[in-house]
Amino acid sequence: MNTINYTITNLVDFLGLVQGVFLGIYLMVENKKNRPTLLLGAFLIAFSFELLGTILDDSNSIDHYPSLLYLPINFYYLTMPLFYLYVKHITDTKISNKHIFIVLLPGIIEFLLTLILCLLPVTTKVGLEDNLLFDFSLIVLIIFSFPYSVYYVIKTIRHINRHNKKVNAYYSNTAGRLLSWAKKVAYFMLDFSFLWIIEVFQEDKFFEDYTYPILSSINVIFIFWIGISGLRQSRIS
C-alpha cells in the first residue's frame, strides 16, 4: 500500500479549495436575497470542491481510507450550468424557476447518485471500484460531461455577446455592463477543459512534475479573481 504523500502541489490545491469555498460562502451569505450572487457562490464552491478529489488521489489518502471513495465532490454536470445561470440572471429581468430546474437537473441527479454511492458500506464501495463495468460506466459519464460543459460555455458566451450588442446600442457609458470578466471566465473554463485532455497525451511523470503544478497555480489565481469580480459586479438588467 502506498504511503500518504503530501506535496507542494497538494498544498497549492488546498489553498485554492479553502479560498474558493470561503469566497463562495461569503457571496452566498452576504447577499442572501440576491439570486445571481447565490449562483456565483455555488459555482465557486462546486469548482473548488473538485480540487479535493485531486488532493485525495495525489496523496494516496483514498488507499488508506477507502471510506472516502465516491465523495460527492465532483460536479461535472453542475459547474458550468451554474455559471450560465448566473450570467443569465444578471442580464435578464426574469428567469423562471422551471428553467433553472431544467438546467440544473442533470447536476442534481449526478450529486444524488454520488451521494448514494458515498453512503454505501465501505466493502461495497471497494467492490465497485474493482468492477470493470462500473468503472467503465463512470468513465463514460465523465467523458460525456465534457461536451455538456462545452455546450454551456458556448451558450454563456453567445448570451454575453447578445447582451453586449444591446448595451452598445442603448448605453453611451458601458462601464461595468459588458461583462468582459465573465466572458473571460467562460473562455478559461473551455481552455481548462482542453488542457485536461492534453493529459492523455503526456507521460504521467511529465504531467505530475510540470503541467499539473502550473494548472494548480492558475487555479488559485482564477478562483480569487472570480470571487473579487463577482463581489464588484452588480445586476445590470
Side-chain angles (χ1 to χ4, degrees), residues 72-187:
I73 54 177
N74 292 309
F75 304 99
Y76 302 113
Y77 290 86
L78 190 62
T79 306
M80 270 315 300
L82 280 170
F83 190 72
Y84 164 73
L85 287 174
Y86 164 73
V87 170
K88 287 273 289 184
H89 260 292
I90 59 176
T91 57
D92 290 348
T93 53
K94 291 183 180 180
I95 299 179
S96 68
N97 290 330
K98 180 181 178 181
H99 177 68
I100 294 173
F101 178 74
I102 291 173
V103 171
L104 297 182
L105 183 58
I108 294 171
I109 294 174
E110 173 195 30
F111 175 77
L112 292 176
L113 289 176
T114 309
L115 183 62
I116 292 172
L117 289 173
C118 179
L119 296 175
L120 292 174
V122 175
T123 52
T124 303
K125 290 196 285 186
V126 171
L128 287 174
E129 189 183 28
D130 295 330
N131 186 302
L132 292 178
L133 180 59
F134 181 78
D135 190 50
F136 176 76
S137 300
L138 288 182
I139 292 173
V140 170
L141 286 174
I142 293 173
I143 291 174
F144 273 103
S145 73
F146 174 72
Y148 183 79
S149 295
V150 170
Y151 169 73
Y152 275 103
V153 168
I154 294 173
K155 281 180 70 72
T156 301
I157 294 172
R158 291 180 64 183
H159 182 78
I160 293 174
N161 286 340
R162 287 195 297 268
H163 165 77
N164 287 348
K165 286 182 180 180
K166 293 179 181 179
V167 168
N168 287 320
Y170 292 103
Y171 296 93
S172 57
N173 180 12
T174 61
R177 295 180 178 274
L178 294 178
L179 287 178
S180 298
W181 72 271
K183 192 173 182 178
K184 291 175 183 176
V185 170
Y187 276 118

